[in-house]
Amino acid sequence: IHDYKEGTPEEKTYYIELWDVGGSVGSATSVKSTRAVFYNSLNGIILVHDLTNKKSSQNLYRWSLEALNRDVAPTGVLVTNGDYDREQFADNQIPLLVIGTKLDQIPETKRNEVLTRTAFLAEDFNAEEINLDCTNPRYLAAGSSNAVKLSRFFDKV
């Protein structure tokens, strides 16, 4: 349940349904066509990746293009050494949210490097970014910046 524009005269309650379509990058046509069923009439996309796994974040480009029906020529891995066409996301009207998990598993000495790299993902998608330490509930506590970003995302949806 989401209260759209909570606390304003325009407030309205919506039921939000979330689907986890899985991130298998197998090139099997059956896997892609099964996921495609969930892409019909989508209103927003939450892209979740593992901050401890660089390949996981690189695959976000491929998955988002697939969901946005721009995967016209499926050709294995879309991202190679960071090369991809940013323009593919320029005219996207579907709200996107990028969530990185396992922040707690990144050593303090490497956090800046990892978070700088993943910040470019959100920028490319024109999306809000949330990075979570899933062992600590304060990362999504009411009033936190992450909770505000999540609420803004659902308002757009």
Side-chain angles (χ1 to χ4, degrees):
I1 302 294
H2 174 70
D3 292 321
Y4 173 73
K5 294 194 175 185
E6 188 175 15
T8 70
E10 299 169 43
E11 183 175 337
K12 187 172 180 177
T13 301
Y14 286 94
Y15 174 76
I16 297 175
E17 190 171 11
L18 302 173
W19 293 86
D20 180 354
V21 296
S24 173
V25 293
S27 60
T29 306
S30 62
V31 172
K32 288 183 120 178
S33 61
T34 302
R35 284 195 303 246
V37 170
F38 295 97
Y39 302 148
N40 294 331
S41 70
L42 61 85
N43 297 306
I45 300 172
I46 299 175
L47 298 164
V48 181
H49 66 103
D50 178 347
L51 290 165
T52 66
N53 181 338
K54 189 174 183 177
K55 192 172 184 178
S56 172
S57 59
Q58 289 175 332
N59 282 324
L60 293 182
Y61 294 102
R62 182 173 184 205
W63 297 327
S64 61
L65 290 174
E66 180 183 305
L68 295 169
N69 295 315
R70 297 201 179 114
D71 191 16
V72 290
T75 57
V77 178
L78 176 71
V79 179
T80 307
N81 299 324
D83 273 344
Y84 58 91
D85 184 4
R86 287 179 164 173
E87 297 301 314
Q88 295 179 80
F89 303 101
D91 63 345
N92 177 42
Q93 299 299 310
I94 297 172
L96 294 167
L97 176 65
V98 177
I99 298 179
T101 61
K102 301 182 182 179
L103 182 62
D104 54 298
Q105 293 182 22
I106 300 172
E108 288 288 333
T109 56
K110 293 212 174 224
R111 277 197 186 172
N112 271 348
E113 175 188 333
V114 171
L115 296 179
T116 299
R117 177 177 41 85
T118 62
F120 286 109
L121 290 169
E123 184 180 325
D124 290 345
F125 292 134
N126 191 26
E128 291 280 3
E129 178 185 35
I130 295 175
N131 294 308
L132 298 176
D133 169 347
C134 298
T135 64
N136 191 336
R138 74 178 169 89
Y139 278 83
L140 283 174
S144 68
S145 64
N146 288 337
V148 169
K149 288 176 184 179
L150 191 59
S151 183
R152 275 197 311 242
F153 169 76
F154 284 127
D155 279 353
K156 289 177 190 175
V157 170

